Amino acid sequence: EPEVTQTPSHQVTQMGQEVILRCVPISNHLYFYWYRQILGQKVEFLVSFYNNEISEKSEIFDDQFSVERPDGSNFTLKIRSTKLEDSAMYFCASRAGQANTGELFFGEGSRLTVL
Amino acid sequence: LAKTTQPISMDSYEGQEVNITCSHNNIATNDYITWYQQFPSQGPRFIIQGYKTKVTNEVASLFIPADRKSSTLSLPRVSLSDTAVYYCLVGVYNFNKFYFGSGTKLNVKP
């Protein structure tokens, strides 16, 4: 079964450092997403991406965050200057995009720890 | 986007049927209702989606009354491995923005 893969599985960084989280969505999918989940809390929407541009973003997704799809397969989330409160599990998801098909396929997540 | 309300937690025993209800009073005409399951330290996994009446697949059933202001996820004969958090989402896929609520933590006991 095709799956969304994410790297790294765990990253530890110092406050103020830049972090790039990588995702390989399912190959024929058209819509891509980043979510985050702070330990013990709910899954929070960050951003969606379609046709090489941001489709929607939440209020969490401020100027410290950026996304891109540099090579047609990878989908990356960059945090320019990490803060302690950025420590969370970050999930990438993709969706095929057919009408009325709402299944988001999630990766296993990248755990970010900011010290 | 329609706000959803679910019970924070539920307990059940192996072999029982579990029904988790989600309230979405301001659901819009074009909104679909989708349920996801999440195990600790894993990404959410799609369970079922519906618009109205009843939908059934190999793992669950989804009941949606005529006014669509609530929905009920039904899990037949749960096992210990069904212990997870269950999320109800309401949204229109053309807007490409899906918010998870707080979810229901289901604890299945032996």
Side-chain angles (χ1 to χ4, degrees):
Chain A
E1 184 177 310
E3 59 181 18
V4 175
T5 58
Q6 292 185 240
T7 55
S9 57
H10 189 193
Q11 180 156 357
V12 181
T13 191
Q14 295 291 324
M15 191 168 56
Q17 295 297 304
E18 177 183 281
V19 162
I20 298 176
L21 305 178
R22 292 181 169 80
C23 169
V24 179
I26 294 173
S27 63
N28 62 344
H29 283 192
L30 301 177
Y31 297 88
F32 314 110
Y33 307 84
W34 283 102
Y35 285 81
R36 79 172 186 190
Q37 187 172 33
I38 297 170
L39 187 63
Q41 298 187 22
K42 67 180 183 181
V43 179
E44 298 176 293
F45 170 79
L46 292 178
V47 66
S48 59
F49 194 85
Y50 170 71
N51 200 27
N52 286 318
E53 61 183 21
I54 289 175
S55 178
E56 299 283 347
K57 60 182 180 179
S58 72
E59 59 275 8
I60 301 170
F61 194 87
D62 61 21
D63 292 343
Q64 292 297 313
F65 293 90
S66 62
V67 291
E68 64 175 2
R69 196 152 188 255
D71 56 12
S73 61
N74 291 287
F75 179 50
T76 62
L77 174 69
K78 181 192 288 186
I79 309 174
R80 289 191 181 83
S81 179
T82 50
K83 303 187 284 284
L84 295 176
E85 54 265 37
D86 294 327
S87 294
M89 184 76 94
Y90 288 81
F91 293 107
C92 173
S94 70
R95 179 167 71 94
Q98 291 96 340
N100 299 335
T101 300
E103 182 171 357
L104 300 178
F105 291 81
F106 283 83
E108 290 300 302
S110 293
R111 181 172 297 284
L112 176 64
T113 301
V114 182
L115 303 176
Chain B
L1 292 169
K3 180 179 168 56
T4 60
T5 303
Q6 303 174 233
I8 294 173
S9 64
M10 294 180 67
D11 288 333
S12 181
Y13 290 92
E14 280 192 292
Q16 289 187 332
E17 178 184 78
V18 170
N19 295 308
I20 305 174
T21 297
C22 178
S23 175
H24 29 80
N25 290 319
N26 60 339
I27 189 169
T29 302
N30 294 332
D31 284 345
Y32 279 72
I33 300 156
T34 313
W35 285 79
Y36 286 82
Q37 174 192 56
Q38 186 183 29
F39 298 113
S41 298
Q42 293 187 23
R45 188 178 70 171
F46 174 91
I47 302 174
I48 197 166
Q49 181 190 29
Y51 182 80
K52 61 181 179 180
T53 64
K54 176 183 174 182
V55 179
T56 297
N57 62 21
E58 62 275 11
V59 298
S61 295
L62 178 60
F63 299 91
I64 305 169
D67 67 5
R68 304 199 327 120
K69 293 183 184 298
S70 66
S71 58
T72 299
L73 175 73
S74 181
L75 304 172
R77 295 191 300 280
V78 294
S79 64
L80 296 176
S81 63
D82 292 316
T83 293
V85 179
Y86 292 83
Y87 295 95
C88 157
L89 275 72
V90 175
V92 179
Y93 292 93
N94 287 340
F95 293 149
N96 212 23
K97 181 165 60 176
F98 312 115
Y99 286 92
F100 284 76
S102 298
T104 298
K105 186 172 183 179
L106 174 65
N107 182 30
V108 180
K109 303 174 184 178

